[in-house]
Amino acid sequence: MTSPTTHSPPAEIKSRLGAILRSTSGNFLEQFDFFLFGFYATAISKAFFPPGNDTNALLLTFTTFWLGALMRPVGAIFLGAYIDRIGRRKGLIVTLAIMAMGTIFIAVCPTYASIGIAAPIIVLIGRLLQGFSAGVELGGVSVYLFEIATPGKKGFYTSFQSASQQVAIFVAAVIGFVLSEILPADAITAWGWRIPFFIGCIIVPFIFVLRRTLEETPAFLAMKKHPSPSETFAAAALNWRIIFWGMMMVAMTTVTFYFVTVYTPTFGKNVLKLSNSDALIVTVFVAISNFIWLPIGGALSDRIGRKPVLLASAGLSLLTAYPLLSWLVSAPSFSKMMIVELLLSFFYGIYNGAMVVALTEIVPAHVRTTCFSLAYALAAALFGTFTPLAATWLIDRTGDKASPGFWLMFAAASGLVATLTIYRGGKAMATREAVPA
């Protein structure tokens, strides 16, 4: 199978700003829920898992968080093929519906004390639905933004896929801060943690309205032929090397992101023994920092190229991750945590701003959503969403509170090796577009 030929491009998108807001709205909901699950992990562990050992309950909570992420590759394959077949607009509406179901399951689930083992099962089902949807949500949005971008600004446009997530982190952290100020800690642990999840449920209808008015991309409409699911799977299998190295390239960004956002509140409260307010304030500033650096990283890669941006930011992270955390845990304080998290945010923002467009460019155009989503989903499932569990386990096993730095260093090394492999000889790795008979 060869890439489909195209007609003259259809009419351009009427408003690119409007298209960015509509397409990234689902990203907002996804990351809003992901952050809440991480921030309220301690309360969720007490609500839905057997009482007893607090560390075991927290590990079970993060395991549930990770198991949901293992559904991402499944969603990437099946929903990705669906979007490549029927269009970006319709596909993004479907992913939003599935994601909303998962959010509702977690928000209304009774506690372990009320229904026993059924409680963690219901929460797990909710996380599986969220993971299945998230498997293609990021890819679908990234491809959409890539296809509506003006020439020479692909990196800048696609960076708003990740930037929209930072708005979600900001809003969720602000809500958490307000709740921590007006409710006692016992009330938040008992029932207050559900309030932000209910807020997420309330905004779902508004996001549906935005998604329904989304225009299809001219690039998709210009295609003469859209691949069937079997053709999509065949093309993805043929390009497994690109998907693998794309996954390793994404590992750097997804591990760092989940560390500085989802895991930071738990790290601040349980490991560094800082207050809830301190951890949330740091998270708010991290979200702002991410939002600033992401488009800068994308625009910088438009100007000087993807490879140098990726290598520089991954290299800095590799050299500094463990020393930074060692300095932080030696004498924990609010100011030191803020400095360390903002530095990690800088590495993440610059790297990811270039990485998303780089991955979009190297995957085959006719199955772009499937291949992008599969690479991203595998990285998120195997590395990114595993980060809270890995960090908790490393600290518990080694007794070294800075040991999560080794996990960050591994991710940075993966990004370096993948970038050098993909851009070997100064040219991006070539896709294979013809399926042998």
Side-chain angles (χ1 to χ4, degrees), residues 320-334:
T320 62
Y322 185 78
L324 283 172
L325 290 185
S326 296
W327 176 69
L328 171 60
V329 303
S330 63
S333 68
F334 171 76

Side-chain angles (χ1 to χ4, degrees), residues 1-5 225 227 231 235 238 366-367 432-436:
M1 183 181 68
T2 58
S3 290
T5 57
K225 182 181 185 299
E231 290 172 329
L238 192 65
H366 57 297
V367 287
R432 298 182 66 186
E433 299 182 349
V435 177

Side-chain angles (χ1 to χ4, degrees), residues 238-259:
L238 192 65
N239 288 278
W240 68 268
R241 289 182 180 84
I242 287 178
I243 293 173
F244 173 80
W245 288 113
M247 173 191 73
M248 299 307 292
M249 184 170 64
V250 177
M252 155 66 186
T253 190
T254 190
V255 166
T256 308
F257 173 75
Y258 278 99
F259 185 87

Side-chain angles (χ1 to χ4, degrees), residues 38-287:
F39 176 68
Y40 291 109
T42 303
I44 290 173
S45 68
K46 293 179 179 179
F48 298 126
F49 292 94
N53 189 306
D54 289 344
T55 299
N56 286 342
L58 187 60
L59 284 170
L60 285 172
T61 301
F62 283 138
T63 300
T64 301
F65 182 78
W66 180 54
L67 288 175
L70 292 181
M71 284 295 290
R72 282 187 167 206
V74 180
I77 293 172
F78 290 99
L79 292 179
Y82 178 72
I83 291 178
D84 280 328
R85 180 69 176 173
I86 59 96
R88 319 308 186 200
R89 175 186 175 275
K90 292 179 181 178
L92 289 176
I93 293 174
V94 171
T95 62
L96 177 61
I98 298 172
M99 190 188 310
M101 290 173 58
T103 301
I104 293 170
F105 275 30
I106 296 173
V108 303
C109 180
T111 63
Y112 183 88
S114 301
I115 61 174
I117 194 65
I121 292 175
I122 292 173
V123 171
L124 178 60
I125 292 172
R127 287 290 301 124
L128 292 177
L129 288 172
Q130 289 181 329
F132 184 74
S133 170
V136 80
E137 173 70 22
L138 294 179
V141 172
S142 298
V143 169
Y144 186 91
L145 295 174
F146 181 85
E147 291 183 349
I148 69 168
T150 54
K153 295 184 179 180
K154 297 286 188 182
F156 178 74
Y157 270 76
T158 55
S159 69
F160 283 97
Q161 175 265 104
S162 299
S164 66
Q165 297 177 356
Q166 313 316 312
V167 179
I169 298 297
F170 177 85
V171 173
V174 169
I175 292 173
F177 177 79
V178 172
L179 288 177
S180 68
E181 292 297 306
I182 64 177
L183 292 176
D186 290 344
I188 292 177
T189 300
W191 55 269
W193 65 268
R194 293 184 187 266
I195 294 175
F197 282 94
F198 283 123
I199 293 174
C201 295
I202 291 171
I203 65 176
V204 166
F206 298 99
I207 299 177
F208 263 113
V209 172
L210 289 174
R211 279 278 169 95
R212 284 178 62 85
T213 59
L214 196 64
E215 300 172 77
E216 187 53 81
T217 69
F220 182 84
L221 293 174
M223 292 183 181
K224 287 182 63 176
K225 182 181 185 299
H226 301 133
S228 66
S230 61
E231 290 172 329
T232 300
F233 301 152
L238 192 65
N239 288 278
W240 68 268
R241 289 182 180 84
I242 287 178
I243 293 173
F244 173 80
W245 288 113
M247 173 191 73
M248 299 307 292
M249 184 170 64
V250 177
M252 155 66 186
T253 190
T254 190
V255 166
T256 308
F257 173 75
Y258 278 99
F259 185 87
V260 300
T261 56
V262 174
Y263 182 66
T264 284
T266 301
F267 187 64
K269 291 182 298 181
N270 293 4
V271 180
L272 303 180
K273 305 304 180 183
L274 300 177
S275 68
N276 285 349
S277 298
D278 285 346
L280 281 168
I281 291 172
V282 170
T283 307
V284 167
F285 278 92
V286 165

